[in-house]
Amino acid sequence: MERTIHSYPGVGMAGHLIQHSALCVPGIYVSRPCVIYVTQGYNVLRLQGRELLVREGEMLALNGGQTMDVYNGLDEKGVYASKAIACDPALLADFGRAHTPLLPLVDAAAVIPDPAGQFTRAFDTFFDALTEAPPLPAAIARHRMQEQILWLAQHGVRLHTKPPETLSQQVRELLLTDIAHAWPAATVAERLEMNEVMLRRRLAAEAEVLRNIIADTRMTHALHLLQNTDAAIAVIAQSVGYESGSRFAERFRKRFGFLPTAIRGHQRQITFPACGLTG
């Protein structure tokens, strides 16, 4: 079956990440809370001044609305693979209000080093149901997502998503609603209920420029598609607003330090000192 990203409005998304090169990716923005189950290889993540190691067979619970550096290490077969389920923030918030929270919120991320067998089976069953036809009924999908939240609570984990704290984060969230759109400054300003001058001035105060945010958001989304789908690189380039495959590849390499083909295994065991994560 061809890999794709499966989305259930009001519930969440599921993706199967496969990578054939050991790559370090700096500055990745994660917009939604998610649970990642590493099935081959391992992860090293740096976020909020600390590093986390997630080994094969372990889970990572990750809050939305944060930026991190990620290194995906390969197993002895030369593969990194993980299954990820992202939760709709509104569902997570509704569930928290309906159930008196007894656990403190996780700051940024938490590793579950020894997930219960029943948890991993429930995760795999839900993941398979999200990614296979026919689609789950919405009410069932919502119920099963809530089951994942309860399993996290059994392991002492309570996720949440911070509302965008900066204007640049608000811009990123807006761009993700239609990643291939041209997004002129006037349109972005209008959608965020301000004028263009104020938009540029407030972004400058955050040391940001709109065109750079647009390019970075597109490249990050393209990376996500390269890792979680079998779509051709040319198709991915068009889906993030690039008609020219060569221009897309050039922009991608400028952002990450490697070509889009590296994700699919055309480069191996690459480390980047600037990222500082070697596995």
Side-chain angles (χ1 to χ4, degrees), residues 249-269:
E250 178 185 356
R251 173 66 71 175
F252 190 91
R253 180 165 59 178
K254 182 178 180 182
R255 166 60 176 89
F256 296 116
F258 51 86
L259 289 168
T261 51
I263 301 296
R264 304 286 171 83
H266 296 180
Q267 292 172 257
R268 290 186 180 275
Q269 294 299 93

Side-chain angles (χ1 to χ4, degrees), residues 167-168 170-172 174-175 181-196 199-200 203 210-211 213-214:
L167 179 59
S168 58
Q170 293 178 46
V171 171
R172 285 180 184 275
L174 173 62
L175 299 178
H181 187 67
W183 291 112
T187 301
V188 175
E190 180 183 0
R191 294 285 189 90
L192 296 177
E193 299 182 342
M194 63 182 72
N195 62 49
E196 190 174 338
L199 172 71
R200 296 187 186 279
L203 286 175
L210 179 60
R211 66 175 178 275
I213 298 175
I214 293 173

Side-chain angles (χ1 to χ4, degrees), residues 117-133:
Q118 290 180 336
F119 184 11
T120 57
R121 287 194 293 275
F123 182 95
D124 281 336
T125 299
F126 182 41
F127 183 90
D128 291 343
L130 289 177
T131 57
E132 295 174 357

